[in-house]
Amino acid sequence: MNERRAGLVLGAMAVGFSFLYLPIFAMIIYSFNASRLVTVWDSANSPTLAWYRELFHNGALLDAARLSFKIATANATGAVILGTLAAFALERYRRFRGRAMFNLLTTAPMVLPEVITGLSLLLLFVALEQTMGWPRGRGAVTITIAHITFSMAYVIVIVKARLATVDRSIEEAAMDLGARPWKVFAVITLPLIASAIASGWVLAFILSWDDLVITSFVSGPSSTTLPQLVFSKVRLGVSPDINALATLLVLVVTACVVSAGIYMLQAERKRLHDAQMAFEESA
Amino acid sequence: MHGLLSNRRLQRLLPSGSWYVIAAPYLWLLLFFLIPFLIVLKISFANIVLAMPPVEPVFVWTQDQILQIRLHFSNFAFVFGDDLYIEAFLNSIKVAGISTLLALLLGYPMAYGIARAPNGWRNVLFLLVVLPFFTSFLLRVYAWLGLLGRNGPINGVLMHLGLIHEPLQLLQTDFAVYIGMVYSYLPFMILPLYSAIEKLDLNLLEAAADLGCRPARVFMKVTLPLTKQGIFAGCLLVFIPAVGEYVIPALLGGPDTLMIGRVVWDEFFGNRDWPVASALAIVLLVLLSGLVLLLQRVQARGEAIHE
């Protein structure tokens, strides 16, 4: 790489990464600002934890957070079960009737605008209620179903990529030794793809925890999730307690992602190390 | 139990294990993804009425046991006849297009830098690109609300430097929408670019340089064509969600920032006009489905090359 281009690349990286991170840092700093005007720094009384204290006394916010947590957990679990099955179907059964359609159905929810997905699911729920009497009204159940439908696609991508790297001769060996397909899956395949399933679960949880648009379409008057509450507040402008909330969320997510990254890096190193040891022993 | 399962005759009667593996997610997606679209399509041909749900039935059984299908094309005529909707579609394409271009211009050198970074650094930088994607989308858009505000730090710095004397109106402008779009979708651009650049055979670049090709020409003639697939995938991954975006124009854009996602939302929640909202969704869907199929083909080709 010549020097001028190296400079250009470094410059772009500096601009790009500050672009990605400065807003987040600004939000964190302002969360300790005592002034209600958020962006006007009140140096006499800052830094303060007042907004954090207020968060934990805000009943509506805590209720919304609890509901979002429940929905996200149920969603992640459902999405992982269905997503793993779908990934298995797409990766291992190369031919079956309707495979092309299935493939399209599993990727489309990722790229379609959320307004369309939300609108279509609401119309489905209304039609179902009219014809079958289920679901009665809309709330946590309909939100969870909607979230599973779109977050499943992300689980499929992650699990499918891992399944493609699994050495099939191990599965075949187990099969030759008389293990039934279900047992092969539980004892051989599942442990090999466990970390992909775990990442899929976390991603599905975050997608659900964060979703506003689809949720707004399929939620009822009695169910307000955290993003809905935040959005209705933020529409009126910046607010100091939202800065505090954002800071807490960013810290939790960063801790999770960084520890997951370190864990995966170590697992990778261990695998390389084990492979080397096995090679040396056999040599 | 074992005896029962190994009973061949019974096994033939029951669907095989693979049937269940495929059927569970397949049926779910048919019921909660495909059928809803058919309902949207149906409602887009319905008449609006003052009731709950506010639509007239499309399929009606008359007293003489005749199934009547009443398709009203008026919603589509209305959508295509009103300048507001046409303008919203065109403006969405413009905003998404410019945002995609900006994300590519910023994302390409970043992806290049990450792919060529020393081994230890590469994982860290990669993680730094992915990390914002995991933190709340809504809150990241919100962060710009404070930064771009009249009393915000950007105006503060510019005034302090003496570049401007009065705070600029940055919020509620198209500029703010572009910033929000590039900010939110930059990781989608960088990831496919990164994997394309990482796969690049450095020997090819060296060979071109050895043969007397100048760096700029090597980039144009070798690097760029070989990473074409990544560029294509990245652009589609930014453009497609950006066209239908609701949150960013709603929070950062002005009242005159017309985007189709926002219009669908307002028709549905504001005017309670389900048929027109459905008709708009169908038009948007037709517009995007071509791009989605294109994306699938690009990714399938990428996989084939990879294998």
Side-chain angles (χ1 to χ4, degrees):
Chain A
M1 217 190 303
N2 71 336
E3 261 167 42
R4 229 179 64 209
R5 180 140 33 107
L8 189 78
V9 167
L10 281 180
M13 279 170 74
V15 171
F17 280 112
S18 18
F19 178 61
L20 283 179
Y21 283 95
L22 279 183
I24 297 175
F25 287 134
M27 205 157 56
I28 293 175
I29 292 169
Y30 284 128
S31 75
F32 298 106
N33 184 6
S35 165
R36 202 164 262 288
L37 287 166
V38 187
T39 48
V40 181
W41 190 259
D42 175 4
S43 47
N45 302 310
S46 308
T48 172
L49 289 174
W51 305 116
Y52 291 88
R53 235 172 284 137
E54 199 159 289
L55 275 188
F56 289 100
H57 289 109
N58 186 339
L61 191 124
L62 291 178
D63 282 345
R66 221 169 283 136
L67 179 69
S68 281
F69 190 85
K70 266 190 223 155
I71 291 173
T73 310
N75 159 68
T77 310
V80 152
I81 293 171
L82 287 171
T84 305
L85 288 176
F88 206 82
L90 285 169
E91 184 58 37
R92 290 297 150 86
Y93 307 123
R94 286 282 168 186
R95 283 158 188 277
F96 57 86
R97 219 176 298 150
R99 190 178 186 277
M101 178 66 150
F102 189 46
N103 204 8
L104 185 69
L105 284 179
T106 53
T107 40
M110 260 189 300
V111 282
L112 274 187
E114 290 186 298
V115 276
I116 296 187
T117 315
L119 174 69
S120 68
L121 276 162
L122 171 64
L123 295 180
L124 172 82
F125 291 137
V126 170
L128 281 178
E129 190 181 11
Q130 269 187 312
T131 50
M132 295 166 42
W134 181 91
R136 272 279 156 82
R138 286 166 293 283
V141 173
T142 50
I143 299 173
T144 309
I145 291 175
H147 285 185
I148 289 177
T149 306
F150 83 89
S151 57
M152 184 175 143
Y154 292 83
V155 178
I156 295 174
V157 171
I158 295 177
V159 175
K160 212 176 104 186
R162 174 59 58 87
L163 266 177
T165 66
V166 168
D167 187 355
R168 298 198 58 178
S169 57
I170 309 174
E171 291 174 357
E172 276 158 17
M175 218 99 87
D176 288 345
L177 292 171
R180 304 195 150 275
W182 181 243
K183 185 155 190 199
V184 175
F185 179 76
V187 178
I188 310 279
T189 319
L190 201 58
L192 284 173
I193 62 170
S195 67
I197 292 179
S199 345
W201 195 94
V202 172
L203 184 58
F205 182 95
I206 289 170
L207 287 168
S208 164
W209 171 262
D210 199 27
D211 178 72
L212 168 73
V213 176
I214 294 176
T215 308
S216 300
F217 276 96
V218 298
S219 71
S222 62
S223 56
T224 305
T225 63
L226 192 60
Q228 283 181 292
L229 193 85
V230 169
F231 186 64
S232 62
K233 197 159 185 177
V234 157
R235 272 194 128 166
L236 308 172
V238 282
S239 129
D241 51 339
I242 299 293
N243 283 333
L245 177 70
T247 303
L248 287 182
L249 287 180
V250 166
L251 289 183
V252 170
V253 168
T254 308
C256 288
V257 172
V258 168
S259 50
I262 290 172
Y263 170 78
M264 266 165 19
L265 224 63
Q266 275 174 348
E268 176 89 9
R269 282 209 191 110
K270 186 172 177 296
R271 214 174 62 194
L272 284 176
H273 180 76
D274 287 352
Q276 208 176 0
M277 292 292 278
F279 181 73
E280 277 166 12
E281 264 169 39
S282 67
Chain B
M1 174 77 188
H2 194 262
L4 193 75
L5 273 175
S6 60
N7 185 333
R8 292 241 157 158
R9 206 174 287 162
L10 192 71
Q11 248 177 14
R12 224 172 296 147
L13 282 175
L14 288 168
S16 67
S18 64
W19 190 86
Y20 293 108
V21 170
I22 299 169
Y26 209 153
L27 289 178
W28 179 284
L29 286 170
L30 284 179
L31 177 59
F32 293 117
F33 195 71
L34 190 66
I35 292 178
F37 281 112
L38 300 179
I39 298 176
V40 175
L41 190 64
K42 188 190 92 173
I43 303 244
S44 70
F45 289 111
N47 238 354
I48 182 167
V49 286
L50 274 176
M52 180 61 207
V55 280
E56 227 175 56
V58 170
F59 301 103
V60 185
W61 283 104
T62 62
Q63 279 174 335
D64 344 316
Q65 303 287 304
I66 295 172
L67 176 66
Q68 264 190 357
I69 303 176
R70 298 177 182 164
L71 297 181
H72 297 269
F73 290 87
S74 53
N75 302 312
F76 288 96
F78 183 61
V79 166
F80 285 111
D82 195 324
D83 286 347
L84 175 95
Y85 299 120
I86 304 281
E87 208 182 302
F89 272 112
L90 292 179
N91 200 45
S92 302
I93 293 170
K94 186 190 100 185
V95 170
I98 293 178
S99 306
T100 306
L101 193 69
L102 292 174
L104 178 65
L105 290 179
L106 183 60
Y108 199 96
M110 282 180 80
Y112 197 96
I114 298 169
R116 293 276 172 273
N119 259 332
W121 274 94
R122 203 180 310 146
N123 286 324
V124 176
L125 292 173
F126 189 80
L127 202 66
L128 281 177
V129 169
V130 184
L131 192 59
F133 177 73
F134 285 99
T135 54
S136 168
F137 170 75
L138 180 60
L139 290 173
R140 277 186 298 133
V141 175
Y142 161 78
W144 284 98
L145 223 53
L147 281 180
L148 295 172
R150 276 187 84 78
N151 304 315
I154 291 180
N155 267 323
V157 168
L158 289 177
M159 299 242 286
H160 189 77
L161 291 175
L163 291 172
I164 50 171
H165 298 290
E166 257 176 47
L168 293 172
Q169 174 70 35
L170 297 171
L171 270 185
Q172 304 192 331
T173 61
D174 282 1
F175 171 73
V177 175
Y178 293 134
I179 292 220
M181 292 275 196
V182 176
Y183 183 62
S184 306
Y185 294 119
L186 192 60
F188 288 110
M189 179 63 87
I190 293 180
L191 295 184
L193 283 175
Y194 168 79
S195 62
I197 295 170
E198 205 201 11
K199 268 185 264 168
L200 201 67
D201 188 353
L202 285 177
N203 290 328
L204 291 175
L205 304 185
E206 238 170 78
D210 286 348
L211 292 171
C213 206
R214 298 168 107 225
R217 220 175 125 80
V218 175
F219 181 76
M220 294 304 284
K221 289 277 171 189
V222 184
T223 312
L224 216 50
L226 283 176
T227 52
K228 202 173 59 190
Q229 216 127 57
I231 296 174
F232 217 55
C235 286
L236 285 174
L237 281 176
V238 174
F239 185 82
I240 294 170
V243 169
E245 180 56 47
Y246 167 73
V247 175
I248 296 171
L251 282 184
L252 300 177
D256 53 336
T257 313
L258 266 182
M259 284 196 68
I260 199 65
R262 209 173 164 189
V263 174
V264 172
W265 178 288
D266 290 342
E267 284 298 342
F268 191 84
F269 289 109
N271 299 343
R272 297 191 65 73
D273 195 337
W274 293 18
V276 164
S278 299
L280 285 169
I282 292 292
V283 176
L284 180 58
L285 192 67
V286 170
L287 211 74
L288 289 181
S289 56
L291 290 177
V292 173
L293 290 175
L294 199 66
L295 177 69
Q296 243 194 349
R297 271 181 52 190
V298 170
Q299 282 173 339
R301 218 188 310 158
E303 263 173 43
I305 287 173
H306 197 64
E307 277 167 11

